[in-house]
Amino acid sequence: MKIEHVAFWVKDLEKMRSFYEKYFGAVSNEKYRNPVKNFESYFLSFENGSRLEIMTRPDIQDGNNSFEAQKFGIIHLAFSTGSKEKVDELTEILRNDGYKVAGEPRTSGDGYYESVILDPENNIIEIIK
């Protein structure tokens, strides 16, 4: 078994697609549109075969994502860079581009070298070695 994909409802489909393409090397398919349901989505594919589906529809309620006030359910995505240096480098690139660094690079209690950033819609992203 493997996880084939994870899906997120998003407010700004194009902004989120661009974010994951630019910083995490995602490759997007063509936009899917269902005019009957007023639904649009992209599948973003990553080098290892995993995929992220980002979807939008105007009637989806805001979940008020918050790093500080977390709720039950899926809480973060983790991307492995392969080295501490790449964790540090990508964290600085994201910081310099205006993204919030919610956790500075460090070795966590469970042994991961990681940083934590928030994507454009405040989803928590771990960048790990």
Side-chain angles (χ1 to χ4, degrees), residues 38 76 78 81 86 88:
N38 205 8
H76 70 261
T81 64
K86 288 182 181 176
D88 294 344

Side-chain angles (χ1 to χ4, degrees), residues 68-123:
E68 293 79 18
Q70 298 178 17
K71 297 179 172 71
F72 288 110
I74 295 174
I75 193 60
H76 70 261
L77 289 179
F79 289 91
S80 176
T81 64
S83 74
K84 287 182 175 184
E85 294 76 22
K86 288 182 181 176
V87 170
D88 294 344
E89 179 183 327
L90 183 52
T91 302
E92 286 310 308
I93 288 169
L94 287 156
R95 183 193 323 272
N96 291 336
D97 286 353
Y99 295 97
K100 181 176 181 177
V101 176
E104 294 294 332
R106 66 182 180 93
T107 301
S108 65
D110 53 1
Y112 282 101
Y113 186 77
E114 67 182 19
S115 68
V116 178
I117 62 102
L118 303 182
D119 78 7
E121 295 191 5
N122 289 326
N123 296 297

Side-chain angles (χ1 to χ4, degrees), residues 14-90:
E14 300 305 326
K15 185 175 188 177
M16 293 293 278
R17 179 184 55 84
S18 294
F19 174 81
Y20 286 99
E21 286 176 329
K22 179 176 180 178
Y23 298 107
F24 297 97
V27 176
S28 178
N29 70 337
E30 293 294 317
K31 184 188 294 185
Y32 169 75
R33 290 187 171 110
N34 182 327
V36 173
K37 294 183 178 182
N38 205 8
F39 172 87
E40 296 180 334
S41 71
Y42 287 111
F43 272 98
L44 306 176
S45 298
F46 298 91
E47 189 175 281
N48 69 352
S50 61
R51 299 190 308 160
L52 176 62
E53 182 180 14
I54 54 173
M55 314 173 300
T56 195
R57 204 174 70 201
D59 63 326
I60 299 300
Q61 295 180 358
D62 191 342
N64 295 320
N65 285 341
S66 169
F67 181 73
E68 293 79 18
Q70 298 178 17
K71 297 179 172 71
F72 288 110
I74 295 174
I75 193 60
H76 70 261
L77 289 179
F79 289 91
S80 176
T81 64
S83 74
K84 287 182 175 184
E85 294 76 22
K86 288 182 181 176
V87 170
D88 294 344
E89 179 183 327
L90 183 52

